[in-house]
Amino acid sequence: MPVKDGELWAEDTGGDGLPLVLLHPGITDSRIWDPVMSRLTARHRVIRYDSRGFGRSPVATAPFSLVEDLTAVLDHLELSRAALVGSSMGGATALNLAVEAPGRVAALGLLCPGVTGYEELASPEVMAEIARLAQAGDKDGLLALVLRTWAAAGVDGDAEAVELVRPALPAWFSNYPYQVPDAPVFDRLGEVTAPSVLALGELDQPEVIRCNEDMAARLPGCRLVRLPDCDHLPTLRDPERCAELVQEVCEAAG
């Protein structure tokens, strides 16, 4: 699928019903949606894509922004309005569009979402350790840190999470010279008009949990749901509940 100065891999299941666009987190690619796809496609046209450098999408070669790429996807598919379901990084992108172009967003399903403009979202200690491991070229150490930090609910080696996380890590570095940050919107969440549900994982990082609570308090009418056995990968840990929440917020969109 063409985007400005590049292209993205995308899947469009077709079908009737309110279109759903699924936006993956920054620690995996769009395969994170595999556990919920069959539950969603039964009632919706579902679109998912890999952000630049992730999964089957080519690496970035020119400046880009996540929300501009999302807009390009909607435009290419001629979707004037869709429900957005975003996990972590994908949630932040969904919120940027909901603030900048509210008429295009019918509903918001936010799973452990990030948000631009929130100063305390990332632990300084974790970010410093990521920088140290990256400079040392320690890929195994970086993978272990990501799993320990964002996939704390995993057991017995957590092979599923490893399979998803390991291929995504190179995109952190290939995107770094080109990704243009989207505008800060945390202080503008009160402008969001779409119905929303925000699910946080109670085994997620304390900083993310606190951020998610603050976000839900600012989003008008947002339903906050706590997933007791989930970390930062709720579709992997509790796909049935995640699909239920998406269906509920889409029904609220009418």
Side-chain angles (χ1 to χ4, degrees), residues 78-96:
E78 299 182 345
L79 297 177
S80 60
R81 186 170 179 264
L84 305 182
V85 182
S87 176
S88 189
M89 176 183 79
T93 305
L95 285 167
N96 272 83

Side-chain angles (χ1 to χ4, degrees), residues 49-250:
Y49 64 90
D50 287 326
S51 294
R52 302 196 201 204
F54 289 88
R56 284 163 278 190
S57 288
V59 298
T61 57
F64 75 98
S65 92
L66 293 172
V67 74
E68 287 179 354
D69 279 357
L70 170 56
T71 301
V73 169
L74 296 178
D75 289 346
H76 181 79
L77 296 173
E78 299 182 345
L79 297 177
S80 60
R81 186 170 179 264
L84 305 182
V85 182
S87 176
S88 189
M89 176 183 79
T93 305
L95 285 167
N96 272 83
L97 189 65
V99 169
E100 293 179 11
R104 304 200 72 170
V105 181
L108 286 166
L110 304 169
L111 307 177
C112 306
V115 63
T116 55
Y118 190 90
E119 297 295 334
E120 300 173 2
L121 179 57
S123 161
E125 293 78 15
V126 170
M127 298 309 294
E129 184 65 4
I130 288 173
R132 186 189 69 79
L133 292 168
Q135 289 174 357
D138 187 350
K139 297 179 181 178
D140 290 337
L142 187 58
L143 174 64
L145 174 64
V146 171
L147 294 173
R148 189 167 64 248
T149 304
W150 286 289
V155 295
D156 298 329
D158 206 4
E160 284 185 290
V162 170
E163 184 180 350
L164 289 167
V165 171
R166 188 190 297 274
L169 297 181
W172 292 12
F173 307 104
S174 64
N175 282 348
Y176 180 76
Y178 300 110
Q179 186 171 335
V180 178
D182 289 320
V185 300
F186 177 70
D187 288 335
R188 299 181 62 191
L189 293 181
E191 300 174 25
V192 172
T193 58
S196 61
V197 62
L198 190 156
L200 64 79
E202 292 193 332
L203 300 181
D204 208 337
Q205 291 185 87
E207 293 84 0
V208 176
I209 293 173
R210 183 166 56 249
C211 173
N212 286 175
E213 291 170 340
D214 291 345
M215 291 168 67
R218 292 190 176 214
L219 285 164
C222 180
R223 180 184 175 202
L224 176 64
V225 178
R226 299 177 185 273
L227 303 177
D229 300 317
C230 288
D231 48 31
H232 207 57
L233 301 172
T235 59
L236 190 63
R237 310 307 186 193
D238 195 350
E240 183 172 354
R241 185 64 176 134
C242 289
E244 288 175 356
L245 294 173
V246 171
Q247 296 287 14
E248 289 174 16
V249 77
C250 287

